[in-house]
Amino acid sequence: SRFATEGNNLFGIRTWNKDIPHMVAQGMGKKWPGWGVRIFASKCDSVKEYVRLLNEHSAYKEFRELRKKTKDSLQLIKTLDKFSTTKDYDERVARMIFKIRKLEKK
C-alpha cells in the first residue's frame, strides 16, 4: 500500500494530531480531515509502535488479558477488532496464519 511504501506504516496506524508526521488518504484533499496515517522513519519503527499499542493502549486490554491465558494466535486475533475497520479482519489474518504454517511445513 502507499502507506507502507511511502510512510513505512505497515499497519495503517493513525494519528489524530496533525503535528505528528502523517499522510492522508488519496482524494481527501490537503485540508486536515481530523486524522492521518502516521509516517515512520522505518518499517521497524512502525512494528515497534504496533507492539507498543498492543501492550499499552486501552483498546487492547482484552487482548492482553487473553494473552495471559493462551498463546493461540487464532484466539488472540479475535480480540483485535478495534484495530481494523474491516469486519472480517480476524478471518483474513487467520488465512495468513494458515498459509504461513503450511509454508513452514515444507
Side-chain angles (χ1 to χ4, degrees):
S1 77
R2 183 173 71 92
F3 299 135
T5 57
E6 294 178 23
N8 291 319
N9 190 331
L10 299 177
F11 304 97
I13 298 169
R14 296 182 183 188
T15 181
W16 286 263
N17 180 344
K18 65 181 176 181
D19 297 327
I20 290 177
H22 66 277
M23 54 195 334
V24 295
Q26 290 180 331
M28 292 185 78
K30 297 190 183 222
K31 185 179 176 194
W32 173 249
W35 63 274
V37 176
R38 287 188 55 185
I39 295 173
F40 293 95
S42 70
K43 289 176 178 56
C44 285
D45 287 345
S46 113
V47 172
K48 288 177 190 176
E49 178 62 5
Y50 182 60
V51 171
R52 187 195 70 76
L53 289 169
L54 289 175
N55 286 318
E56 297 177 12
H57 196 282
S58 60
Y60 306 109
K61 182 178 180 182
E62 183 183 359
F63 169 81
R64 291 188 297 273
E65 291 299 317
L66 183 58
R67 185 175 61 186
K68 291 176 187 174
K69 299 174 187 171
T70 184
K71 300 296 181 212
D72 182 344
S73 54
L74 296 173
Q75 287 183 36
L76 290 168
I77 60 172
K78 292 178 183 177
T79 65
L80 299 181
D81 57 319
K82 293 174 185 60
F83 171 73
S84 178
T85 56
T86 307
K87 290 185 179 185
D88 66 341
Y89 176 74
D90 62 326
E91 294 170 14
R92 290 178 182 205
V93 175
R95 283 193 298 270
M96 285 188 255
I97 290 170
F98 289 129
K99 285 180 184 179
I100 292 167
R101 287 179 180 172
K102 193 174 184 179
L103 289 171
E104 289 175 336
K105 290 181 182 180
K106 288 183 177 183

